[in-house]
Amino acid sequence: MRSRNHRQPGRIWMQASGAVSTHHAGQLAIEPYAGTVTVRFSDAIVAATERAKVLQEEGHEPVFYIPFEDIYFDLFEKTNTTSRSALKGTASYWRVHAVGSSADDFMWAYETPETAARAIARHGAFDPEKARIDAEPAEDRRHTPHVPD
């Protein structure tokens, strides 16, 4: 399995205690990821999907967004932390609790994103410095050699 950690640059603009700061950026591109993405905290799987989206923002590393339906929300607690992006909107943050440990602001989501980011509504992204994010590309059957029977 390939392990790809994607950094979310600009973490310095994240503010706790409900404070909001603004993050300006370039263009966004949001595309489906062809494969499986699994997110772990410690030894616990906290999200797994074959329906991830990859958000690419000018000047930043790509970020995986996982549908809410594929996130184990029983392991999360919403915090008062928010951040603001001119292109994406206001992000809310969650703390994770698993395997006898926790991490603040482990996940964020744009619950009501701006128009340019509508495709990531009801999707969460994870802090790559706190999460293990594994991405396994789907097999491309058109370009994979097959041995005849």
Side-chain angles (χ1 to χ4, degrees):
M1 181 175 281
R2 271 191 193 154
S3 180
R4 292 174 52 187
N5 284 331
H6 293 282
R7 296 192 180 279
Q8 173 67 22
R11 297 292 290 166
I12 57 172
W13 51 267
M14 183 181 73
Q15 305 261 326
S17 306
V20 178
S21 61
T22 302
H23 171 69
H24 298 283
Q27 297 297 313
L28 295 179
I30 302 168
E31 300 174 350
Y33 176 72
T36 303
V37 177
T38 305
V39 181
R40 291 178 175 81
F41 173 68
S42 192
D43 290 330
I45 293 175
V46 299
T49 190
E50 293 180 348
R51 302 178 301 141
K53 294 182 180 176
V54 179
L55 182 142
Q56 296 186 40
E57 185 173 356
E58 190 176 303
H60 300 285
E61 292 292 320
V63 177
F64 287 111
Y65 279 82
I66 310 296
F68 277 3
E69 297 81 18
D70 297 329
I71 297 170
Y72 301 112
F73 271 97
D74 54 328
L75 301 174
F76 290 88
E77 173 188 356
K78 197 169 189 177
T79 69
N80 291 325
T81 305
T82 61
S83 63
R84 175 87 186 139
S85 163
L87 289 176
K88 295 176 287 212
T90 300
S92 300
Y93 289 76
W94 282 258
R95 172 182 304 114
V96 65
H97 300 277
V99 196
S101 189
S102 66
D104 289 339
D105 304 326
F106 181 82
M107 181 184 84
W108 68 91
Y110 296 91
E111 296 176 274
T112 54
E114 298 293 339
T115 302
R118 265 194 210 143
I120 59 167
R122 300 191 44 75
H123 285 66
F126 300 86
D127 184 335
E129 294 185 12
K130 299 174 184 177
R132 177 175 156 198
I133 302 167
D134 295 315
E136 180 69 30
E139 182 180 322
D140 183 350
R141 296 186 185 275
R142 295 173 296 160
H143 297 100
T144 302
H146 295 279
V147 177
D149 293 330

Coordinates of all heavy atoms in Angstrom, one line a residue, residues 2 19 86 117 134:
R2 N 0.6 2.2 -0.8 CA 1.3 3.4 -0.9 C 0.8 4.4 0.2 O -0.3 4.5 0.5 CB 1.1 4.2 -2.2 CG 2.0 3.8 -3.2 CD 1.8 4.7 -4.4 NE 2.5 4.2 -5.5 CZ 2.2 4.4 -6.8 NH1 1.2 5.3 -7.0 NH2 2.9 3.9 -7.7
A19 N -12.1 32.1 17.2 CA -11.6 33.2 16.4 C -11.5 32.8 14.9 O -11.3 31.7 14.6 CB -10.2 33.7 16.9
A86 N -10.9 32.4 1.5 CA -11.7 33.2 0.6 C -12.3 32.3 -0.5 O -13.5 32.6 -0.9 CB -10.8 34.3 -0.1
A117 N -15.9 25.7 -4.0 CA -15.6 24.5 -3.2 C -16.8 23.6 -2.9 O -16.8 22.8 -2.1 CB -14.9 24.9 -2.0
D134 N -3.4 6.9 4.0 CA -2.9 6.0 3.0 C -3.8 6.1 1.8 O -5.0 6.0 1.9 CB -2.9 4.6 3.6 CG -1.9 4.4 4.7 OD1 -0.8 4.9 4.6 OD2 -2.3 3.8 5.7

